[in-house]
Amino acid sequence: QVQLVESGGGLVQPGGSLRLSCAASGSIFSPKIMGWYRQAPGKEREMVAIIASDGSTNYADSVKGRFTFSRDNTKNTMFLQMNSLKPEDTAVYYCNVRRAATPFLNYWGQGTQVTVSS
């Protein structure tokens, strides 16, 4: 069983920064696809950033230049550095991982709340 646990969310003023972490446990075979998603109240979950199985990174247009997706494989942890935060970034943020061989099978964390408000 694969388990993902997000942390690092909180309340921040517009223009501020937060660093989210996602700690993984259990076994997942490479190659794999990793991602960060978010869901605001009343809206569908949307992709924020993805690291594909070939290592390439793709960001949603709304966060390009502000967010950075990284990972530490030795600690089985993914990170999302969020800078220049805007009120519209307010959402519950989820990490996600998929095996490249079974990309239809998603593993999700429980989510961490990010609130951007003055």
Side-chain angles (χ1 to χ4, degrees), residues 80-93:
L80 184 67
Q81 178 66 46
M82 305 184 294
N83 299 325
S84 302
L85 283 162
K86 305 175 180 179
E88 49 263 46
D89 294 319
T90 296
V92 177
Y93 284 71

Side-chain angles (χ1 to χ4, degrees), residues 5-7 19-23 34-38 45-51 58 67-70 77-82 93-97 108 111-112:
V5 180
E6 301 96 338
S7 62
R19 183 177 175 87
L20 306 183
S21 299
C22 175
M34 298 169 285
W36 285 96
Y37 294 74
R38 66 187 182 186
R45 190 171 299 185
E46 64 178 353
M47 184 273 290
V48 175
I50 290 176
I51 298 179
N58 182 263
F67 290 11
T68 303
F69 190 176
S70 63
T77 304
M78 301 184 291
F79 305 96
L80 184 67
Q81 178 66 46
M82 305 184 294
Y93 284 71
Y94 301 87
C95 58
N96 169 273
V97 65
W108 296 98
T112 185

